[in-house]
Amino acid sequence: MGTIFTLFMVLIMIASILLIIMVMAQNPKGGGLSGTFGGTSSAQFGVQRTNDFMEKATWTLGVIIVVMILLSVILTAKPTKSFQNAPARKEAPAPQTAPGANSVTMPIPTPAPADK
C-alpha cells in the first residue's frame, strides 16, 4: 500500500515539474519558446506548431496530474465498514424520574455514604 502511494507521489511531482516548465516556456503575448525560434509572428513555418504543442502539452499534463491524484486517493484509501455491518449503537438509559413527577424529569438523589 505504501509503495503505490510513493509511486503516485513521485509521478505527480514529475508531472508537476514538467507542467511548471511548460507554463514558464510560454509567453502570454504569443512569443515564448516559439519567439526564440524565428520571431514573434505565429504565421511563420513551424512556429504555430510549437504554440499548439505547448498548449496541448500544458492541458495534457494538467489532466494527467488530476487523474493521478484521483487514482492515488481511490487506490490507497482504507476500506471502511458499511452501516449494515457496523455494531448496533447502545442507547443511553432513560433518566429515572421521581415518583409523582408529571412530565418533568428529575434525577433521583443518591444517598450519601454513612460515616462510621
Side-chain angles (χ1 to χ4, degrees), residues 42-114:
S42 62
Q44 294 178 355
F45 176 74
V47 176
Q48 183 62 37
R49 288 187 197 166
T50 305
N51 284 339
D52 290 343
F53 169 75
M54 297 286 279
E55 184 176 351
K56 287 179 183 177
T58 302
W59 281 104
T60 304
L61 284 170
V63 169
I64 287 172
I65 290 171
V66 170
V67 168
M68 283 195 300
I69 289 171
L70 291 175
L71 281 175
S72 68
V73 168
I74 291 169
L75 294 177
T76 60
K78 295 180 181 178
T80 58
K81 293 181 180 180
S82 66
F83 289 111
Q84 296 171 351
N85 296 338
R89 296 177 82 187
K90 294 182 180 178
E91 294 185 23
Q96 297 178 350
T97 57
N102 293 338
S103 63
V104 178
T105 304
M106 298 175 56
I108 297 177
T110 309

